[in-house]
Amino acid sequence: MTTLTADEHVSAPYRRVRFPERRTLVERRADGTLILRSATQPAPIVENSFVEFIPVWAESRGSMPAFCERDQAGNWRSVSWSKLWHQVRAVAASLLSLGLDQDHPLMLLSGNSIEEAVLLLAAEYVGIPTAPVSPAYSMLSRDFARVRGVAGLFPPAAVFVQSGARFERALAALELGAAPVIAVSDAAPGQLAWADLIATELSPERLAAVDAAHRATRMDDTVRVLFTSGSTGAPKAVRLTYRNFKTVAAYYAENLGWLRDSPPVFLDWLPWHHGLGGVLNLGRSVQFGATHYIDDGRPLPGLIERTVRNLREVSPTIFTSVPSAWAVLATELERDPVLARNLFSNVQYLGYGGASLPKDVWLRIQRVAARTVGERIVFSTGLACTETTGMGTYCGWPFAAIDNIGTPVPGSEVKLLPVDGGDGRYELRMRGSHVFAGYIGNPELTAAAFDEEGFFRLGDAVRLADPTDPAQGLLFAGRVVEDFKLMNGTWVRTGSVRLALIDQCAPLITDAVICGHDRDFLAALAWPNVAQCQRLAPELAGLDAAALAVHPVVVAALGERLRAQSAGGASLTVERVMLMAEPPSMDANEIADKGYVNQAVTRARRAPLIDQLYDAEPAPHVARIR
């Protein structure tokens, strides 16, 4: 195999991805609005949800591991496809015996695990709605306001936890009354032990009850309720139906049908209480009979190392993460040839979501891929949200710009409305059977979420990759709701400025919060890329984030990058940057589990730091243009 130098990555061929070719239909309206839809129809499938794919894999891949995760000793434990199918039916029978049904749902407080996979699929099979909740609401919160808030929106008839002891305080805060608690370990008196559920005897009577409940499910029944928060942090209960799930499965059958040819392997950390992890990635594994390794890492200091360890052992068919994780993984791939070879040897394509991928990160990863396997690897992404069941637009074209989110997938329809300002941006809205029907318990919010034609308002902005041909894809252009004005009335497009700043300061920062509302100029708070900052000088090796954030060498390096910005006027040029050691707080709603930083909430919470940024004589640790 030819070894390529760091600068030859652009000439390396792309590894072929078997995405089907599609044609995009474009409707132009007199007011400048565009309607985009795929000329391809969704694939016809008989399955009404992901769980219905399990029996065929239990038969044909019965002994193959379906789900794997680390045990307390750090070894992989697993459940096979045949055992998964048995446990799904046994647990389903137990849930029915507890009186759970469409009107009596199940809430899950703990994170991704083999047991949670079984439980979600068992409930899906017999028509019991499940409500997986972020573990942070129970484990990191002090007042449990959020977990009580979601329980108030969707009162559970039973609750599942991985550990009765670890979730004891959260369970007490919920005041469940007679609702049973299912615990995998440390079950308290009166709680149901998981071992008893999976040991339920599948008598003819129980199997008949399970089959009858399955046949009784209807397309508009609730299968999953996911909770998402806006800038206020108040939870919104998104109700997803079997129709939504079937639409995603039909899209997968058309887009990823080639995964059926041989058993795929996935390593994934994305949480199952979000659409990307809990519907798309979990559903994909079930639909295509994969071996799904549950990654116990996260894109956070102290946890990303676990992902690196797992990638040294698991060679995935597809690997998806968030940009903040890719920024750290780029450094690890550059210095660890074994890690790089294991990731790139079998992967068909890489994916990202939740935010835009900085160009520097993409370039560094492609250099390593070219050097390691002689090929570039396609980075695929799209635009969707929980309310669209994680499905919307998608781009898997090798030569597309890295911020190209593609065009509508089969079954999805996109409306583009010109945004005031004359900068070529459009507000994006979606319609289709993948879009949810409304928020539970909030009819006013539901009404405001849809326009007069039934398109869901995502709040995202895009540009056309080619203004003369919308079929060439859309470029993500930030969140419309995050934009603000400077003192002089000039609009600041926060998403574009943020991404440009990350690229300009690469690889020294991982993310940034753009500041300047009602100020004279733009500034930013940012988080350091610890490993890259440590490389600036020998004396920085071993320093932590707090020390690096104020070190003169790091501040000077940031200042140089700021001064190298292209002149773009006050609404584009960031004049000052201050690094922060404290990571974004999930409990304070500064960051979502999938890594997206909430700009407005972070600015409000860190207002004193913003005041320091705008001091007439800023502190020495504030990097600035002048």
Side-chain angles (χ1 to χ4, degrees):
M1 181 175 294
T2 303
T3 300
L4 303 177
T5 67
D7 294 328
E8 289 177 321
H9 73 280
V10 292
S11 62
Y14 274 103
R15 179 169 292 173
R16 178 176 174 267
V17 185
R18 294 160 60 184
F19 291 135
E21 293 187 9
R22 299 199 190 93
R23 184 167 59 92
T24 300
L25 304 178
V26 181
E27 174 189 338
R28 299 178 183 271
R29 295 181 176 176
D31 63 356
T33 297
L34 302 175
I35 304 294
L36 309 183
R37 59 179 68 90
S38 176
T40 304
Q41 294 299 311
I45 61 173
V46 299
E47 295 84 1
N48 289 330
S49 66
F50 296 110
V51 70
E52 293 187 356
F53 290 92
I54 296 181
V56 67
W57 303 127
E59 177 68 24
S60 61
R61 298 176 182 175
S63 62
M64 192 185 86
F67 290 92
C68 310
E69 70 172 320
R70 298 278 189 186
D71 61 21
Q72 291 184 344
N75 301 313
W76 291 108
R77 68 183 183 99
S78 65
V79 59
S80 68
W81 277 103
S82 61
K83 185 173 289 187
L84 175 69
W85 179 225
H86 178 85
Q87 290 188 4
V88 162
R89 289 178 293 169
V91 171
S94 295
L95 297 179
L96 292 175
S97 70
L98 293 174
L100 302 188
D101 55 25
Q102 268 291 302
D103 298 320
H104 298 86
L106 174 69
M107 181 170 286
L108 301 89
L109 299 186
S110 43
N112 303 10
S113 69
I114 291 175
E115 292 79 15
E116 178 150 320
V118 172
L119 193 60
L120 288 171
L121 293 167
E124 180 181 322
Y125 192 70
V126 292
I128 298 169
T130 51
V133 178
S134 170
Y137 291 4
S138 298
M139 304 304 297
L140 301 180
S141 179
R142 296 180 180 178
D143 58 10
F144 303 107
R146 285 202 190 176
V147 73
R148 286 189 280 108
V150 298
L153 283 171
F154 197 60
V159 175
F160 169 83
V161 293
Q162 198 73 22
S163 166
R166 293 188 65 204
F167 286 84
E168 180 181 9
R169 294 178 60 241
L171 291 169
L174 286 178
E175 300 178 353
L176 295 169
V181 173
I182 303 167
V184 176
S185 62
D186 310 316
Q191 295 179 351
L192 303 177
W194 177 259
D196 293 337
L197 267 66
I198 60 175
T200 299
E201 180 185 356
L202 285 173
S203 64
E205 294 77 16
R206 290 195 179 105
L207 278 174
V210 167
D211 291 341
H214 176 66
R215 289 193 301 271
T217 58
R218 299 292 179 261
M219 295 302 291
D220 291 321
D221 284 347
T222 304
V223 60
R224 193 78 48 81
V225 174
L226 301 178
F227 298 93
T228 181
S229 297
S231 59
T232 63
K236 295 177 291 185
V238 178
R239 186 177 77 89
L240 301 179
T241 66
Y242 288 90
R243 188 181 309 279
N244 298 140
F245 274 39
K246 183 182 180 74
T247 302
V248 175
Y251 160 59
Y252 270 165
E254 188 267 345
N255 195 55
L256 298 176
W258 46 273
L259 285 175
R260 297 181 65 93
D261 295 347
S262 59
V265 174
F266 300 126
L267 173 74
D268 189 47
W269 66 268
L270 288 159
W272 291 345
H273 55 271
H274 277 301
L276 179 55
V279 178
L280 268 66
N281 289 2
L282 177 61
R284 180 184 62 187
S285 292
V286 175
Q287 182 167 349
F288 295 108
T291 295
H292 182 116
Y293 287 86
I294 298 172
D295 181 11
D296 57 345
R298 289 289 186 277
L300 298 170
L303 292 177
I304 192 66
E305 293 82 0
R306 298 183 187 180
T307 295
V308 171
R309 175 190 62 174
N310 294 334
L311 280 173
R312 290 194 182 102
E313 299 181 20
V314 179
S315 190
T317 306
I318 300 168
F319 186 70
T320 301
S321 198
V322 295
S324 58
W326 279 118
V328 179
L329 286 173
T331 301
E332 298 297 329
L333 290 166
E334 287 168 336
R335 65 189 183 189
D336 189 338
V338 174
L339 172 67
R341 182 160 296 280
N342 207 49
L343 174 60
F344 296 131
S345 60
N346 296 317
V347 74
Q348 297 299 299
Y349 67 90
L350 304 171
Y352 69 93
S356 297
L357 184 70
K359 182 179 180 180
D360 170 76
V361 173
W362 181 87
L363 285 171
R364 291 165 61 203
I365 291 171
Q366 296 296 3
R367 287 177 185 138
V368 179
R371 189 167 64 244
T372 304
V373 295
E375 295 176 303
R376 286 180 286 176
I377 310 297
V378 171
F379 262 98
S380 297
T381 192
L383 184 65
C385 62
T386 301
E387 289 89 340
T388 67
T389 326
M391 172 180 154
T393 69
Y394 197 70
C395 180
W397 314 321
F399 298 101
I402 58 174
D403 53 350
N404 193 322
I405 58 171
T407 53
V409 302
S412 180
E413 191 175 13
V414 163
K415 178 194 283 189
L416 303 178
L417 293 88
V419 175
D420 292 340
D423 59 355
R425 296 199 312 160
Y426 294 84
E427 180 197 344
L428 182 146
R429 302 176 183 177
M430 284 187 191
R431 183 171 68 180
S433 56
H434 62 299
V435 178
F436 81 135
Y439 299 106
I440 292 175
N442 204 327
E444 295 83 6
L445 193 61
T446 297
F450 293 89
D451 69 14
E452 67 284 353
E453 294 183 294
F455 283 88
F456 175 67
R457 308 172 194 264
L458 279 77
D460 292 311
V462 297
R463 288 188 175 89
L464 300 179
D466 181 348
T468 67
D469 184 6
Q472 295 304 310
L474 310 173
L475 305 180
F476 181 68
R479 297 276 295 163
V480 175
V481 294
E482 289 182 345
D483 294 347
F484 59 83
K485 288 184 179 181
L486 292 171
M487 183 76 76
N488 63 9
T490 302
W491 275 105
V492 175
R493 307 308 187 191
T494 301
S496 300
V497 174
R498 170 189 162 275
L499 191 58
L501 178 68
I502 294 173
D503 281 336
Q504 191 69 41
C505 295
L508 301 182
I509 65 176
T510 59
D511 213 330
V513 176
I514 306 301
C515 309
H517 186 274
D518 289 338
R519 305 273 188 169
D520 292 325
F521 59 89
L522 290 180
L525 300 172
W527 287 278
N529 184 330
V530 173
Q532 291 296 327
C533 289
Q534 289 172 339
R535 290 183 173 186
L536 287 173
E539 64 268 25
L540 303 182
L543 293 186
D544 61 14
L548 292 168
V550 298
H551 199 284
V553 172
V554 177
V555 176
L558 281 176
E560 291 177 5
R561 285 162 170 77
L562 291 181
R563 288 186 285 276
Q565 291 177 97
S566 300
S571 65
L572 295 175
T573 303
V574 177
E575 298 193 12
R576 297 179 183 179
V577 171
M578 182 165 63
L579 295 178
M580 302 175 290
E582 180 196 356
S585 168
M586 189 177 298
D587 200 34
N589 198 37
E590 286 187 321
I591 189 171
D593 294 306
K594 59 185 179 182
Y596 183 77
V597 173
N598 189 316
Q599 297 273 318
V601 170
T602 307
R603 285 195 296 263
R605 183 171 180 264
R606 306 193 186 219
L609 296 181
I610 297 176
D611 290 338
Q612 293 180 37
L613 267 176
Y614 286 94
D615 280 345
E617 294 294 331
H621 59 271
V622 175
R624 53 191 185 275
I625 291 179
R626 52 184 182 276

